[in-house]
Amino acid sequence: MAYDVVRPLIHEVLTKVNNAKVKGKKIEVLRKYQSEGLKMVLKSSFDPKIVWRLPEGDVPFIKNDAPEGTEHTRLEQEAGKLFHFIKGGNDKLKQVKCETMFVQMLEGLQEGEAEVLILAKDKKLHQKYKGLSKQVVQEAFNWDDDFLNVNHKDYKKSA
């Protein structure tokens, strides 16, 4: 069995999902490359209960044009900081600081990763990556309508 030496960036995983022709293959790609970072980004885009503190639309930032794999951060690792930008996550953070931190995060990411994050913020990942839908994401990660893992040992579905 062949193993990937370097994990693909999140935008590369989503491109693989986009290029997969059938739903089953799209789910297979998401499962193959699943990580906490990927799940956080997808959940932030598809879960209607997650509300971003940031204005919708384009974000003024300087794109990091360093070649992939060189001088940029990975969205997979940066995803743990997304709570700062979500209502209920770090509401004590002043809005100006929140927006400044978001721009700084974008400027550190590779260009494709920054685009993914902006699309997630605007809940529009599905518009760029065809076939990436709420249903596909939920099935890939065994999430219910509340985006909770139905196989988790502490899972209790309310009646």
Side-chain angles (χ1 to χ4, degrees):
M1 174 184 263
Y3 293 96
D4 292 328
V5 177
V6 178
R7 282 188 65 80
L9 298 172
I10 288 178
H11 81 94
E12 293 171 324
V13 172
L14 298 181
T15 298
K16 290 176 186 284
V17 170
N18 181 80
N19 294 341
K21 300 295 181 209
V22 296
K23 180 180 176 185
K25 290 288 183 191
K26 293 175 187 302
I27 291 168
E28 186 179 305
V29 169
L30 289 173
R31 286 180 178 164
K32 178 178 180 180
Y33 296 108
Q34 72 178 303
S35 67
E36 288 307 308
L38 176 63
K39 289 178 181 180
M40 284 184 227
V41 170
L42 292 173
K43 185 172 182 171
S44 73
S45 184
F46 288 103
D47 187 342
K49 293 181 300 308
I50 292 180
V51 179
W52 288 78
R53 296 179 55 194
L54 303 162
E56 192 170 326
D58 290 337
V59 180
F61 74 101
I62 299 167
K63 294 179 179 170
N64 185 338
D65 58 2
E68 284 189 23
T70 60
E71 299 175 21
H72 57 77
T73 55
R74 292 178 63 97
L75 182 52
E76 190 167 20
Q77 276 81 40
E78 293 293 296
K81 300 175 187 171
L82 294 183
F83 74 96
H84 291 295
F85 315 119
I86 305 292
K87 287 186 180 177
N90 184 4
D91 292 338
K92 292 182 180 179
L93 186 66
K94 293 190 184 309
Q95 187 64 27
V96 171
K97 179 68 174 171
C98 175
E99 291 178 21
T100 300
M101 286 173 52
F102 190 72
V103 167
Q104 289 170 340
M105 183 181 285
L106 291 174
E107 289 178 347
L109 294 169
Q110 185 273 342
E111 191 175 337
E113 298 272 82
E115 181 184 14
V116 164
L117 188 53
I118 292 168
L119 289 168
K121 166 188 74 74
D122 292 340
K123 308 259 185 194
K124 294 182 178 178
L125 273 177
H126 64 285
Q127 290 179 8
K128 173 166 175 116
Y129 300 101
K130 302 299 179 202
L132 182 68
S133 66
K134 177 180 175 181
Q135 293 76 25
V136 166
V137 169
Q138 286 175 310
E139 191 170 332
F141 303 127
N142 295 313
W143 287 340
D144 66 7
D145 288 337
D146 292 321
F147 288 82
L148 298 171
N149 188 322
V150 296
N151 295 327
H152 191 273
K153 63 181 179 183
D154 296 329
Y155 178 81
K156 292 181 179 84
K157 182 74 175 167
S158 56

